[in-house]
Amino acid sequence: MAQLALRSGLIALALAIVGAQGYADNLRERTRIDDGWRFALGHANDPAKDFDHGMRPFFFGKAGYGDGPAAADFEDRPWRRVDVPHDWAVELPFSERGSSQHGMKAVGRGFPENSVGWYRRELAIPAAGKGRRFTLEFDGVFRDSVVWVNGHYLNREASGYSGFQVDISDYLNFGGRNVVAVRVDATTQEGWWYEGAGIYRHVWLTQTGPLHVAPHGSFVRATVNGDIADVTVDTTVRNDGKAGDHFALEHELRDPAGRVVARASEPARTVAADATTDVSAQLRVESPLLWSLDTPQRYTLTTTIKRGAEVVDRIDTPFGIRRRIDAWLLAHKRRSRWRRPAGFQSSP
């Protein structure tokens, strides 16, 4: 127990240090929070076996009324400690009643006692973080996941193949205890292959200032004409502040070796409070290194948001430059990489 307590303390200290660094320079910080989760199986049909979840009056009707494991004060110390990515289905026994397309595991409609899992984790957010924005990012949860923070219902994602983000900023106890709870229901299948069950990919905590590039807010596309690549950048800037703000954008493009090959600046403009605005920019690359299956050359676009001389956000967007590739040819070449007969030479 002492070792577990020490580990929890170190996790909290690490998050606090990362947070303090982020507050000092006002830039975004992205921290992977895969360790330190608690896990237990619930039940798909019986609330009593699902830790009485859903039995409290108004648990969906009032803010902060999450019950059972969704409540912040739920006692989860008897639960098993796990790190994610985690798949509880792979640990289950095989069953003749299991789906042949899903590994014959005892999970799904006929196994309600094995088809719901709960995850809980504490977050240490320093008091100095108040005023910043905090977002949980789930790369993949299978499936039908519901996210609660400090008893507040915040998000539901039905698909097990779609990553998603949850803005938790307005529900945090800055300088106090915070609890994330995730209920995962793997009763229903989505494919005809083994799909598993649980938080099977990474989880991230991203913090930014109120003025920042929105999630998935940087989109890059390139058109190749001869020895020139024209690069178009579309950026969505989000202002979560309580008043309008002004900003300018700067873009810096680096080739696979890290050399700067193009720059662009967009003049200052304004964005209203609690709103977004889209900004487009053009860059040109001479003699671009083209992406292909054999030589996957990757460029990096660095986008910086400035308020006057102050840098308030910065993100990197990796991408490749290539000519249009026919989908069939791409698939054929991918297969030929693994099935090429001896002595066979494919055309470029």
Side-chain angles (χ1 to χ4, degrees), residues 128-208:
K130 192 170 185 179
R132 293 177 62 78
R133 307 305 296 181
F134 291 82
T135 301
L136 287 175
E137 301 177 37
F138 293 84
D139 286 348
V141 183
F142 195 88
R143 64 175 298 277
D144 196 6
S145 58
V146 182
V147 178
W148 308 71
V149 173
N150 293 333
H152 294 267
Y153 164 74
L154 296 186
N155 190 81
R156 183 172 188 173
E157 175 55 56
S159 176
Y161 296 99
S162 298
F164 59 94
Q165 298 83 33
V166 186
D167 188 338
I168 64 175
S169 311
D170 298 331
Y171 309 93
L172 293 173
N173 298 316
F174 292 95
R177 181 173 180 265
N178 298 279
V179 178
V180 178
V182 184
R183 185 180 188 269
V184 185
D185 189 340
T187 299
T188 305
Q189 304 168 352
E190 291 188 55
W192 52 92
W193 49 83
Y194 177 81
E195 296 180 287
I199 303 177
Y200 69 95
R201 289 185 178 172
H202 298 302
V203 183
W204 306 83
L205 178 66
T206 297
Q207 55 172 294
T208 68

Side-chain angles (χ1 to χ4, degrees), residues 239-262:
N239 178 20
D240 284 310
K242 297 181 180 180
D245 210 340
H246 64 278
F247 69 94
L249 279 183
E250 294 182 356
H251 300 290
E252 184 177 83
L253 184 57
R254 300 188 304 277
D255 68 11
R259 296 181 293 261
V260 176
V261 294

Side-chain angles (χ1 to χ4, degrees), residues 19 22-23 25-30 128-135 137 167 169 174 205-215 238-240 305 312-315:
Y23 310 146
D25 58 19
N26 206 32
L27 296 181
R28 70 173 54 214
E29 293 285 345
R30 191 166 186 254
K130 192 170 185 179
R132 293 177 62 78
R133 307 305 296 181
F134 291 82
T135 301
E137 301 177 37
D167 188 338
S169 311
F174 292 95
L205 178 66
T206 297
Q207 55 172 294
T208 68
L211 186 65
H212 58 273
V213 176
R238 171 76 189 172
N239 178 20
D240 284 310
I305 299 179
V312 296
D313 195 17
R314 179 179 289 128
I315 66 166

